[in-house]
Amino acid sequence: MPHAPPPPVSSAQTTLADVAADSADGPALRRDKRWLRVLAAAFRHEPVLLTVPGCDGRPIAHLPLCLTRSRLFGRFAVALPYVNTAGATGGPTAFGPLIDAAVALAAEYDAKWLELRHEAPVDHPALTHRLSHKVHMRLRLPGDEEALMASFKSKRRSQLRKCLETDVTFRWGGEEVLNDFHAVFAENMRDLGTPVFGRELFAAILTEFDGDAEVCVGFDGPKPVAGALLIHDQPGTDGAIRTAVPSASTLRAYNPAGVNMAMYWQLLDRAVGRGAGEFDFGRSTVDSPTYRFKKQWGAEPHPACWQFHVRKGEPGGLSPEAGGFRLAVEAWKKLPLPIANRLGPKIVRGIP
């Protein structure tokens, strides 16, 4: 008996109009279209949306990609830059044709590799490399602020209450506090030795995720000293709303006073107030300082499986944690902040 032909794959690859919002799309596809528009606007990446149509013409599976290029690092096909989880979504039986099309596109584009940021591995012969040393740190949330505080051990509650006595005040907003947030974020990234994302990335997120994204900034008098971006529309476990914090920073001088702890309480409390059932702290390397910080809130590790079809080079080699970048990281820490802020966005946009 002959095998059924593979489902057709369509590609929306030419204009941003192809990834315009569509109220008939499912939540995952709507969210991925938002990210494609964000990344095209902020980084000038070329958006690609591979889809497998069902009988009614609506996608039953999809794969969002950004085609990235830079003189420093070359070309990549990534699902998706900046986003911790992105890749083939929908009916698993359609994943094979989607990835076949993505592999062909990577070859046509002469990309070094195709990178898919899955959580569970997808079985495909072209995906021969994996990175799984990081995990997603997530916390199931109770229904109100009192239950949230009560969920922490007594020692942690005492520590947190002391941190909340700080003179730093927190303000929520959008575009009106974006410069304050970015000032803190940029200084902290420089201190870590990492090129900073430009302000335009966060402005694009606030625009595309209007009503679902907001910024929290902590002020010591008029001075911004802590800041975080929250996005409230992520799909959580068992269908619960998930609040994610893709970017957050505190000035190092304020960490001994517990300002970072005070800010994360604000973030968790905000998520509870928005009805989220889960909070995503982002990815961390197991047993790293950031992993332990998130673990103390009760966050649990969830798998991250980034899969690659490699044509040239070695996945992971462009990470700041890679050995070849140690000298560059130390040199970046010494840059004057205005220079780091001017150069950083031009560099980081080309890193997959």
Side-chain angles (χ1 to χ4, degrees):
M1 184 175 182
H3 292 290
V9 178
S10 63
S11 171
Q13 188 180 339
T14 53
T15 69
L16 283 175
D18 294 324
V19 290
D22 184 348
S23 59
D25 293 334
L29 182 52
R30 284 199 300 272
R31 187 179 59 259
D32 285 342
K33 285 184 175 183
R34 282 173 156 183
W35 279 118
L36 286 172
R37 293 194 297 271
V38 164
L39 296 166
F43 295 151
R44 300 186 300 281
H45 293 333
E46 183 178 349
V48 177
L49 182 60
L50 302 173
T51 62
V52 174
C55 296
D56 61 358
R58 295 182 181 180
I60 59 171
H62 73 278
L63 172 58
L65 291 169
C66 278
L67 303 181
T68 79
R69 70 181 76 192
S70 81
R71 293 179 181 177
L72 280 176
F73 305 113
R75 297 183 173 202
F76 304 91
V78 187
L80 286 167
Y82 184 72
V83 182
N84 281 329
T85 297
T89 303
T93 57
F95 286 177
L98 279 177
I99 295 171
D100 287 341
V103 167
L105 182 64
E108 179 185 341
Y109 188 61
D110 195 25
K112 288 186 174 181
W113 61 70
L114 166 70
E115 177 175 327
L116 306 179
R117 300 182 173 184
H118 293 135
E119 296 193 12
V122 171
D123 186 21
H124 191 283
L127 301 178
T128 56
H129 289 65
R130 294 183 186 181
L131 291 179
S132 54
H133 62 289
K134 290 182 181 287
V135 293
H136 301 281
M137 296 299 289
R138 293 170 182 159
L139 172 67
R140 296 302 298 269
L141 295 173
D144 56 55
E145 178 182 327
E146 289 186 6
L148 177 63
M149 181 64 81
S151 68
F152 305 132
K153 296 180 179 179
S154 58
K155 182 178 179 180
R156 186 64 58 208
R157 290 198 301 269
S158 298
Q159 180 189 20
L160 180 55
R161 290 190 179 105
K162 184 176 180 180
C163 294
L164 293 175
E165 294 173 357
T166 175
D167 291 332
V168 171
T169 58
F170 291 90
R171 177 182 170 192
W172 288 90
E175 184 78 22
E176 71 277 11
V177 293
L178 188 54
N179 285 344
D180 299 307
F181 158 77
H182 196 260
V184 175
F185 185 69
E187 183 172 341
N188 189 56
M189 290 297 101
R190 190 280 310 269
D191 291 347
L192 292 172
T194 303
V196 68
F197 292 113
R199 180 189 183 280
E200 61 270 21
L201 170 64
F202 305 104
I205 291 172
L206 289 172
T207 297
E208 288 295 340
F209 289 83
D210 183 31
D212 292 321
E214 56 183 340
V215 174
C216 177
V217 181
F219 292 90
D220 181 8
K223 178 182 179 181
V225 299
L229 170 74
L230 285 191
I231 301 178
H232 297 288
D233 85 329
Q234 306 297 300
T237 304
D238 301 328
I241 297 172
R242 178 188 296 156
T243 291
V245 53
S247 293
S249 288
T250 307
L251 297 185
R252 287 189 170 188
Y254 286 81
N255 284 339
V259 172
N260 55 341
M261 293 285 293
M263 181 177 70
Y264 269 84
W265 167 257
Q266 299 287 330
L267 306 183
L268 291 167
D269 187 46
R270 191 73 164 190
V272 168
R274 289 286 298 248
E278 193 171 46
F279 189 90
D280 191 335
F281 286 84
R283 293 193 316 140
S284 291
T285 301
V286 175
D287 290 331
S288 67
T290 58
Y291 175 94
R292 293 192 292 269
F293 175 83
K294 297 166 185 178
K295 186 75 174 174
Q296 71 181 336
W297 293 97
E300 294 295 334
H302 293 255
C305 181
W306 289 16
Q307 295 181 266
F308 300 83
H309 168 65
V310 179
R311 303 181 66 251
K312 311 170 190 176
E314 182 68 28
L318 296 180
S319 168
E321 300 167 353
F325 280 88
R326 287 174 185 166
L327 290 178
V329 167
E330 292 306 313
W332 196 269
K333 293 178 181 179
K334 297 177 174 62
L335 283 180
L337 191 56
I339 295 177
N341 288 349
R342 186 163 63 250
L343 296 178
K346 297 177 182 179
I347 295 173
V348 76
R349 66 171 295 275
I351 300 176

